[in-house]
Amino acid sequence: MRRIEWPLHLVIRTVVGVVAAGVLAVAGVVAWNWWQESRATCHEDVVRRGPHDECVGVTAGDHVFATHLEDVQKLIAKENARVEAESDEHPYVSVAYLTSFTLTDDDSNSEDSVRHELMGAYLAQHRHNRGDLPGSPKMRLLVANSGSDSAQWEYTVDRLLERRDGPDRLVAVAGLGPSTERNLAALKKLSENDVATVASIMTATNIKGIDGFVRVAPTNIDEAKAGAKYLKEKEFKTVAVVQDDASSNLYAATLAQAFREEYPDSEHRLVGESISYDSSVSSAWEGELRYIPGRLCEAEPDAVYFAGRGRHLAHFLNALANRTRCTERDFTVLTGDDTTNLTPQQLVDAARTGVRVYYTGLAHEDMYKKTPYAVSKLSAGHFRDEKGLMETWFKDEARYDGQDIMGHDAVITAAQGIAMASAWQGQGKVTGPSVARMFHQMSGSEQVPGASGFLSFKKNGDPRDKAVPILRLTTKGDSVLIDVTSATGEVAREN
């Protein structure tokens, strides 16, 4: 047999080709396995997106967005499965709870905050489906993650809109996160597509007049009025305002404006020129806060009104405590509801600064004790009593921030809208627009029995005469309820 001699360059080319093919085959298997594994961690309309590689989208419970949400999401998934199994006898519609559930340093909310909101949302679902506020049709509760800082809101909202028809029958979205430009954009897109919306913690005054929208939180005007009233009663004659100038922080801008308009009168005045920092400049805002105490020493205010997020407040208080000038002065700081987003350790650290801190909150479990006429006893009992459902389900959870109450009140508002629309038009005709129309019928005997206060709504979506708690940060790092007031001026005195 004749031996065939191959040219060397052909041998080399062939060997390289075989090796390359093998490498590509292995790489292909590795890439496929990675893709499968990454997809396996996300279910339903949940995909990995964005610079943080977050799972974002919508789930009925199969996907757990973060480990700390596992317990409450399992309860929601179980209730959703029960509702679906009984749908032949008891028809259902869906409500989604939308916020940022995967958090980074870009977020003002904490993991505790969003977890507590979802716990309250589940309580509302339970009360509507088979609890003490039964209504029909029944409710599936979807969990929707817009990603850190709501950067993936468009994807998630599009997935929600796909669920308006078919077996999901999405009619309302609750939650919606804090007052930011992105969350406002998400809210507007839902409204434009006939989905009823109920915000749980949005307080920015300029978020209003949107079709089908209501909020259960007091507005920044309500908070500013409550705060100004409290400072005046405590005889603080002069106040300096410290404000975040970040354009995307609608909360800070409207809170500062409302206080500036509400506080000054013939006996009370604002001192110092504009004192501000800009949290949108990540490399500079902490440094800016360090220089503000010196300016406050020059202005010599009786109190300071801080219009900024809780995470910025923590840095501000630390800077104030470490000031090198006017160390003999005592400082009192009043701020807004975002203080509730501080973690327990941050609250302890803030308390250790020695600065007296008061803030207008959104809810507190002791509100019923202060003002039993303004809060639903039945609803409050689920949060206050040892045998209440929240304590039964989440007995090891320190629900210190009131966010569970706000999540509950948002979803129970949607639930009441569903029940009223069904009674008005029939179960088969419960839609986003029909639920939204019911929001403005919620008055008198049809008020929403909220745990943060009875709820009825103005035409622009704001709550009417909403109770506003005033809280004091103690040296232990917890919060004590001082007063409860409202736009009408009702106040419960500190014991």
Side-chain angles (χ1 to χ4, degrees), residues 34 125 187:
W34 175 87
Q125 180 193 27
L187 165 59

Side-chain angles (χ1 to χ4, degrees), residues 26 31-32 41 49 52 54 87 112 135 174 181 212 224 282 285 291 305 307 317 327 339 382 387 447 452 467 470:
V26 172
W32 173 258
T41 63
R49 291 174 65 90
H52 301 296
E54 304 164 271
S87 61
D112 285 358
E181 289 183 331
S282 59
W285 67 265
Y291 290 109
Y305 192 76
L317 293 177
T327 54
T339 305
H382 289 298
K387 295 183 179 180
Q447 289 184 102
S452 66
I470 295 179

Side-chain angles (χ1 to χ4, degrees), residues 18 242 247 298 301 368 464:
V18 170
V242 175
S247 60
E298 295 172 0
Y368 177 77
R464 185 178 289 109

